[in-house]
Amino acid sequence: MNITDENKLYFEDVLRRRFSTRRFKDTPVSMEDILRILEMGRIAPTAKNFQPQRIYVATKEADLAKLDMVTRCRYNAPLVFIICSDRGEAWVEDKKTSYEMDATIVATHMMLEATNIGIDNIWIELFDKDELKRLFNLDDNIEPIALLPMGYGTDDNRPSHLHDKRKSLEETVTFL
Ligand SMILES: Cc1cc2nc3c(=O)[nH]c(=O)nc-3n(C[C@H](O)[C@H](O)[C@H](O)COP(=O)(O)O)c2cc1C
């Protein structure tokens, strides 16, 4: 791989630029951008390359209204990726399964690509998974993992006070 310093700096800039958006404008995200975000999720690594992720794209009013019934954290986003995983398609050995890990890696790719192309976003864990399955008629083996509301933040969109509060490396890393 021939990686220039410019490549490295650009990637770091994307990582440092990302923050959770909790106020979205109504402005829709173009299909071109939606597909680009999905494509960057598609190329994510998964255990044994089984690719169990199943992603539902909500932009219609009726579907966004359903999401509002299962979470208070859509924050008016005009686009929500419902990141799910098919338990039956994931790598399983003994009692271990990669279904959740695979889907979160895919979602991370998507979140960072959204940031890369200027689409504001947030990762949502706080939602009623059973109710979401019921409202969207998802099969039993499809497990909702995360919601990714996306769009354009309002003009006063700023990182929350938590954004800069990261633990030091000393607190989270042990050199063995
Ligand atoms: C796994 C996960 C679950 C999260 N769930 C929620 C949520 O349900 N509601 C919410 O408002 N933010 C949620 N967040 C956003 C976090 O609160 C946020 O990432 C964290 O406070 C750091 O802020 P930053 O993203 O602006 O750097 C979640 C983030 C992650 C990674």
Side-chain angles (χ1 to χ4, degrees), residues 18 20 22 73 75 122-126 162-163 166:
R18 186 213 59 80
S20 296
R22 293 188 176 83
C73 297
Y75 302 120
I122 184 167
W123 186 301
I124 297 302
E125 166 74 16
L126 187 69
L162 293 176
H163 177 67
R166 295 298 196 259

Side-chain angles (χ1 to χ4, degrees), residues 8-119:
K8 290 180 203 165
L9 280 175
Y10 190 76
F11 186 62
E12 180 174 338
D13 179 55
V14 173
L15 300 183
R16 290 194 184 278
R17 233 180 326 119
R18 186 213 59 80
F19 66 88
S20 296
T21 289
R22 293 188 176 83
R23 290 171 137 204
F24 290 91
K25 293 182 192 167
D26 294 332
T27 315
V29 177
S30 71
M31 185 53 76
E32 188 189 347
D33 283 349
I34 291 175
L35 291 175
R36 189 167 167 159
I37 292 165
L38 287 167
E39 172 64 11
M40 293 304 119
R42 190 183 73 82
I43 64 174
T46 54
K48 287 251 180 152
N49 205 25
F50 283 173
Q51 303 163 61
Q53 71 271 16
R54 297 292 180 269
I55 299 163
Y56 302 87
V57 184
T59 54
K60 295 194 189 87
E61 273 310 318
D63 293 324
L64 297 175
K66 282 184 193 172
L67 286 167
D68 286 341
M69 293 164 77
V70 302
T71 183
R72 54 185 156 79
C73 297
R74 179 170 70 87
Y75 302 120
N76 193 48
L79 161 68
V80 180
F81 292 107
I82 305 171
I83 309 293
C84 300
S85 197
D86 186 335
R87 277 177 178 275
E89 293 279 318
W91 171 77
V92 181
E93 197 169 279
D94 300 329
K95 284 183 182 152
K96 280 192 285 184
T97 165
S98 64
Y99 81 95
E100 197 168 15
M101 206 180 292
D102 290 333
T104 55
I105 295 168
V106 169
T108 303
H109 269 221
M110 292 170 63
M111 179 176 74
L112 293 175
E113 174 58 9
T115 304
N116 181 41
I117 62 174
I119 308 292

